[in-house]
Amino acid sequence: MPQRHSKNNNDLAFFTYDEKRKLGYGTQKERLGRDSIKPFDACCLCLKSLIDPMSCHKGHLFCKECILQCLLSQKKDIQRKLAAHAAQQKKGKEEEEEKLMLQKAKELDAFDQQNHGAVPQYSDRNYSRDKNGFHGANSVKVTSYEEEALRTMKAFWLPSATPEASVKVEAPSTSTICPEGNEKLKLKTLFPVQFTEDTSEQKKSKALDKTYICPSCKVTLTNTMSLVALSSCGHVFCKKCADRFMAVDKVCLVCNKACKERNLVNLEKGGTGFAGHGDHLQATDFKHLGSGTGLGLVRPAMKT
């Protein structure tokens, strides 16, 4: 049976569709596996198992030490930016005051020379005299007008006349933000989270890692389940039990502590800067051919 001519025709000046596919040209899609998804019981900062878990009202979980260190570093950065902004404002005021003083001194000097000087003052810049009495092109020394022109000249090719770009420091925001959701976050808005560990004999003998269950229906918690935490006491339930019992009875099933509907916080599952989460579990890259090479170069795919 004869082979297809399009796959064997390799003497063309351009790549055929089959050659592009073999070189990996175009948009390549791949579904993210389990290793690319953050577990529900992992910290959003260190990506390790939670130690003294804390949660914000958006449902992002952190280790207590990690989130406290993050908020502390943000406050130090805010203090540094505030100090830089205050120093810039102080320097600007001093420069304005200095300019006003120099302008007043020039006005007084001009007034004094006009009233008490024996030599008349000329307003024409081309006829201005220098300190030695010479004027115009016959002057040996640089006149004051030329000195002013050299001082204010924007000549990038002269090192002495290179203009300096002033760096303006904007007033920073004084509020700390959540490192995961980028919303405003305060220390007092964090609440501790308590997972119910599975203490059955079968789980102890089979699994080395800790497994958590819903305290209501005793179902093992996984990434495929939607979890709800109570901000009043911190206990974690599955979404079905929370909607069926806590939303109706307004009380926690573990500690019998009263809760309201606003205390039900949906926990975010999976996903940081290093892992995919939610419904977007497909990685997409666009590969194009480099000049003179047979390997496909990778650049980020355009979002559609």
Side-chain angles (χ1 to χ4, degrees):
M1 183 176 180
Q3 298 180 353
R4 295 183 61 180
H5 176 68
S6 61
K7 293 186 178 181
N8 298 325
N9 188 12
N10 54 6
D11 58 347
L12 300 176
F14 54 88
F15 287 107
T16 61
Y17 175 75
D18 186 68
E19 289 172 345
K20 288 181 179 180
R21 288 188 61 187
K22 290 181 179 179
L23 290 173
Y25 177 83
T27 302
Q28 305 294 324
K29 296 181 180 180
E30 182 181 357
R31 183 174 175 83
L32 297 175
R34 181 180 179 183
D35 296 335
S36 301
I37 303 173
K38 183 181 76 67
F40 71 93
D41 58 343
C43 174
C44 291
L45 290 175
C46 64
L47 302 179
K48 297 180 182 179
S49 297
L50 290 167
I51 301 176
D52 296 331
M54 304 283 289
S55 176
C56 64
H57 284 284
K58 293 293 184 179
H60 302 116
L61 293 174
F62 310 95
C63 296
K64 186 175 182 180
E65 182 180 359
C66 295
I67 190 61
L68 291 181
Q69 186 176 1
C70 179
L71 294 179
L72 181 61
S73 63
Q74 288 186 33
K75 289 183 179 179
K76 289 182 179 180
D77 192 29
I78 290 172
Q79 293 297 329
R80 180 185 60 80
K81 290 181 180 179
L82 287 174
H85 182 65
Q88 182 184 5
Q89 286 185 334
K90 184 178 179 181
K91 184 178 179 181
K93 289 182 180 179
E94 291 177 353
E95 290 179 353
E96 289 180 0
E97 292 177 357
E98 186 178 358
K99 287 181 180 179
L100 290 175
M101 291 177 62
L102 290 174
Q103 185 178 0
K104 289 181 180 179
K106 287 182 179 180
E107 292 176 356
L108 290 174
D109 191 15
F111 179 78
D112 185 59
Q113 289 182 4
Q114 184 178 2
N115 290 288
H116 303 286
V119 181
Q121 300 294 321
Y122 298 95
S123 59
D124 187 9
R125 291 179 176 178
N126 296 326
Y127 196 71
S128 61
R129 292 175 176 267
D130 63 354
K131 297 179 181 178
N132 296 330
F134 302 101
H135 48 115
N138 298 325
S139 177
V140 177
K141 293 188 177 181
V142 181
T143 62
S144 61
Y145 171 69
E146 291 175 350
E147 289 180 355
E148 182 69 18
L150 287 173
R151 188 173 64 83
T152 59
M153 181 176 59
K154 307 299 182 183
F156 61 89
W157 57 88
L158 297 178
S160 59
T162 302
E164 296 181 358
S166 58
V167 180
K168 188 177 181 180
V169 180
E170 300 292 339
S173 176
T174 57
S175 58
T176 54
I177 61 174
C178 177
E180 183 68 14
N182 294 329
E183 68 271 357
K184 292 183 179 180
L185 178 64
K186 294 183 179 179
L187 182 60
K188 63 181 181 180
T189 59
L190 295 171
F191 63 92
V193 176
Q194 300 179 17
F195 288 98
T196 304
E197 187 177 354
D198 190 1
T199 56
S200 61
E201 296 295 334
Q202 296 179 356
K203 293 294 181 181
K204 282 185 177 181
S205 59
K206 291 183 179 179
L208 297 176
D209 298 333
K210 292 182 180 180
T211 56
Y212 301 105
I213 61 173
C214 174
S216 176
C217 60
K218 307 301 180 182
V219 176
T220 303
L221 302 181
T222 60
N223 263 12
T224 59
M225 302 175 61
S226 297
L227 306 179
V228 176
L230 300 180
S231 59
S232 56
C233 60
H235 291 105
V236 179
F237 300 87
C238 63
K239 180 72 173 175
K240 293 181 179 180
C241 294
D243 294 340
R244 184 179 302 175
F245 301 110
M246 269 71 72
V248 178
D249 299 336
K250 309 296 183 183
V251 65
C252 177
L253 299 179
V254 179
C255 59
N256 293 326
K257 189 174 182 179
C259 63
K260 297 181 180 180
E261 189 173 357
R262 66 170 180 267
N263 297 127
L264 301 177
V265 178
N266 295 320
L267 297 182
E268 293 288 338
K269 52 182 180 179
T272 61
F274 306 97
H277 66 96
D279 298 332
H280 306 285
L281 298 177
Q282 193 175 38
T284 304
D285 279 333
F286 183 84
K287 294 185 178 181
H288 61 93
L289 301 178
S291 58
T293 64
L295 301 178
L297 303 179
V298 180
R299 64 178 172 87
M302 299 296 293
K303 295 183 179 180
T304 58

